[in-house]
Amino acid sequence: MNAVELQEALSRGTRVYGTLITSNSPKLPGHIGSLGMDFVFIDTEHISIDRHELSWMCQAYKALGLAPIVRIPSPDPYAATMVLDGGANGVIVPYVETVEQVQALRGAVKYRPLRGQKLENILNGTEACDGELERYIQDYNKHNLLIINIESKPAMEALDDILQVPDIDAVLIGPHDLSCNLNVPEQYDNPVFLKAVEEIIDKARSRGIGAGIHYWIGTERQIEWARRGLNLIIQSSDITTFIEYLGKDLSTIKAALGDQPTGETESISI
């Protein structure tokens, strides 16, 4: 999908599929492109990818018809602008907890290239963005998606207000951080965690905003949540899949040959 198709799908509730990418291997995009995905989620919050490498990755995936969505390291409007300048079709913003943060990021993603006092005036409603400027801004930013990570109890408490901010394309649940913030770390079957996930999905979809989660522990939960309305499906990651399947293969070979078995595969939370 291109970015406009992805935006429209998220809004109407159509399910879209992607995975988290950490590798900058030039061979990977072609293989990812053959898997029937709609977009890729490139993480720069937890993974060290420099600006030059990131731009090449975005341009490669975009050329293959996969919208590149980049998670920035912090809820920083300038970081959002930087990855969009490099070729990203959208920004995932980590650990957002306030309406003020969302408004600032909305300005960076949906109102480029405006900055400074003029942008502030438009966002707070003291100056209009209309006429020729409005048409220019809409066209200039039509390929930019704004996706907000919901990863904490304060974010959930502010969710109703956050979802009223215009121009949010989707919210994305960060399961590892959310479970820790809810005092049930990595307990993804805990009723407290499951209730929180369902609440986020229900509130986002009731407002026509996409709802997603990045999940890597099997497929049953993704299917269950998708049937509830989740439509931004990010399954596993390149590094998680590599470790999981290589670990299983090595264990099978060692068991057949009577050698010491491979230790249990470590869970990777990204």
Side-chain angles (χ1 to χ4, degrees):
M1 284 186 173
N2 63 37
V4 173
E5 292 168 336
L6 188 59
Q7 285 175 319
E8 292 173 349
L10 288 170
S11 178
R12 65 175 177 260
T14 301
R15 287 185 289 274
V16 294
Y17 295 86
T19 191
L20 187 149
I21 299 296
T22 65
S23 172
N24 61 359
S25 168
K27 288 191 174 183
L28 189 60
H31 293 295
I32 294 293
S34 69
L35 297 177
M37 295 188 194
D38 302 302
F39 68 96
V40 291
F41 166 21
I42 303 173
D43 185 30
T44 66
E45 181 190 12
H46 300 296
I47 304 299
S48 177
I49 303 175
D50 70 30
R51 187 174 181 178
H52 183 75
E53 290 175 328
L54 179 63
S55 184
W56 271 106
M57 292 169 71
C58 288
Q59 299 295 346
Y61 284 108
K62 192 185 298 185
L64 291 168
L66 291 167
I69 311 298
V70 175
R71 180 162 62 187
I72 55 180
S74 64
D76 177 1
Y78 289 96
T81 299
M82 183 185 73
V83 299
L84 292 171
D85 286 343
N89 278 143
V91 177
I92 296 173
V93 187
Y95 233 88
V96 170
E97 294 185 327
T98 69
V99 168
E100 290 75 19
Q101 288 175 312
V102 179
Q103 280 283 27
L105 290 154
R106 174 190 173 217
V109 175
K110 301 292 188 174
Y111 283 85
R112 296 167 66 240
L114 299 180
R115 296 190 186 189
Q117 190 61 56
K118 186 174 185 68
L119 176 59
E120 183 66 27
N121 292 344
I122 289 172
L123 293 176
N124 65 30
T126 60
E127 181 176 343
C129 179
D130 52 19
E132 188 173 343
L133 177 61
E134 181 183 26
R135 291 190 293 273
Y136 175 81
I137 291 296
Q138 288 179 349
D139 185 66
Y140 192 84
N141 295 292
K142 64 184 178 182
H143 295 101
N144 299 342
L145 286 87
L146 175 59
I147 300 173
I148 303 298
N149 257 154
I150 302 297
E151 306 182 88
S152 69
K153 187 174 181 180
M156 291 193 62
E157 291 171 346
L159 188 58
D160 288 328
D161 293 330
I162 286 173
L163 292 174
Q164 290 184 35
V165 177
D167 299 324
I168 297 174
D169 294 293
V171 295
L172 178 66
I173 299 164
H176 182 245
D177 284 2
L178 181 59
S179 70
C180 290
N181 199 271
L182 295 174
N183 300 320
V184 290
E186 298 190 26
Q187 297 175 37
Y188 303 121
D189 292 322
N190 189 295
V192 172
F193 175 77
L194 294 175
K195 181 180 178 182
V197 171
E198 292 171 0
E199 180 181 334
I200 295 167
I201 294 171
D202 292 347
K203 287 187 174 183
R205 292 305 309 133
S206 70
R207 291 165 174 80
I209 294 171
I213 190 168
H214 171 226
Y215 205 66
W216 55 92
I217 305 171
T219 58
E220 290 183 7
R221 285 295 185 196
Q222 286 276 37
I223 294 169
E224 175 186 331
W225 292 324
R227 286 175 174 158
R228 190 180 184 92
L230 186 96
N231 64 324
L232 178 65
I233 298 172
I234 303 175
Q235 180 63 23
S236 196
S237 70
D238 49 5
I239 189 170
T240 304
T241 303
F242 170 80
I243 291 172
E244 178 183 354
Y245 282 92
L246 180 59
K248 287 179 181 178
D249 286 350
L250 287 175
S251 293
T252 299
I253 294 169
K254 288 182 178 183
L257 297 175
D259 292 330
Q260 184 175 352
T262 303
E264 187 174 320
T265 302
E266 180 184 358
S267 175
I268 298 177
S269 302
I270 296 177

